[in-house]
Amino acid sequence: FEAYAQPLPQGADDGKPQIAVIVTGLGLNSTGTTAAIQTLPGPVTLAFAPYGKNLGAAVGTARATGHEILLEVPLEPFDYPDSDPGPDTLLTGQAPRDNLNKLYSVMGKFGGYVGVINHMGARFTASTTDFAPVMEELGARGLGYLDDGSSARSVATQLAAANAVPFGKADMALDQQPARQPILDQLNALESKATANCSAIGVLFALP
């Protein structure tokens, strides 16, 4: 977490409210990924899916332009397999070693990330039995965990604290309506939340 963290933006320690924005789903479309890396400000965090091509090069370019990086880990949703997060999805009811082997496979796709963010996973993140070995592994490796905030039943907060994992939870999705004005409205709402709580985290998917 500390080794790959980017320096705080200038003025970030002046006591004023702070906002973090995470763009997810990068690495799947090379054109969109390149556009995000080149056009978004450095302080915007980029989360890469483990399935794209040339991920190492894309992540290296993103880090060189000031972006902090997260790895998306596919976790089981309640309607799996109708909703399928992708290969190597960590599943409830499997042996911990099997899920950890999947985690190792996903984590080996590229380097340079400060932590991981869930991709789907409402069922998995609600199961302490299945989720605990994963969070223990993150703690042992010094990685952070960002909960995308999509599931109220997630036990990530408790498990992260128990394993000394740097933790954050997104306050809102910014693109539930993927159009300009609704996104601007959500950004305004995120700013209001940051003003009230000193900080706020927003996530959105890498659509054009």
Side-chain angles (χ1 to χ4, degrees), residues 102-136:
K102 291 179 181 180
L103 179 66
Y104 300 152
S105 176
V106 170
M107 291 174 66
K109 298 297 183 181
F110 59 88
Y113 45 88
V114 297
V116 306
I117 182 173
N118 60 295
H119 176 52
M120 300 189 190
R123 181 186 294 275
F124 192 90
T125 60
S127 171
T128 300
T129 300
D130 296 291
F131 199 5
V134 173
M135 198 67 82
E136 183 178 353

Side-chain angles (χ1 to χ4, degrees), residues 59-159:
V59 168
T61 301
R63 294 193 69 244
T65 53
H67 295 286
E68 206 159 75
I69 306 299
L70 292 172
L71 164 68
E72 292 184 32
V73 175
L75 305 175
E76 180 186 0
F78 279 110
D79 58 348
Y80 180 85
D82 292 335
S83 293
D84 188 351
D88 290 321
T89 295
L90 279 63
L91 301 172
T92 57
Q94 288 202 334
R97 176 52 54 187
D98 292 339
N99 276 329
L100 288 175
N101 284 337
K102 291 179 181 180
L103 179 66
Y104 300 152
S105 176
V106 170
M107 291 174 66
K109 298 297 183 181
F110 59 88
Y113 45 88
V114 297
V116 306
I117 182 173
N118 60 295
H119 176 52
M120 300 189 190
R123 181 186 294 275
F124 192 90
T125 60
S127 171
T128 300
T129 300
D130 296 291
F131 199 5
V134 173
M135 198 67 82
E136 183 178 353
E137 183 70 20
L138 297 180
R141 291 171 177 259
L143 290 165
Y145 184 86
L146 181 68
D147 189 307
D148 72 358
S150 61
S151 174
R153 298 173 62 178
S154 173
V155 293
T157 304
Q158 304 92 299
L159 292 178

Side-chain angles (χ1 to χ4, degrees), residues 17 23 29 37 48 55 58 93 103 107 133 135 159 182 187 191 199 203:
V23 179
N29 178 286
I37 293 170
F48 283 78
L55 286 173
L103 179 66
M107 291 174 66
M135 198 67 82
L159 292 178
L187 285 168
E191 185 176 359
S199 64
V203 295

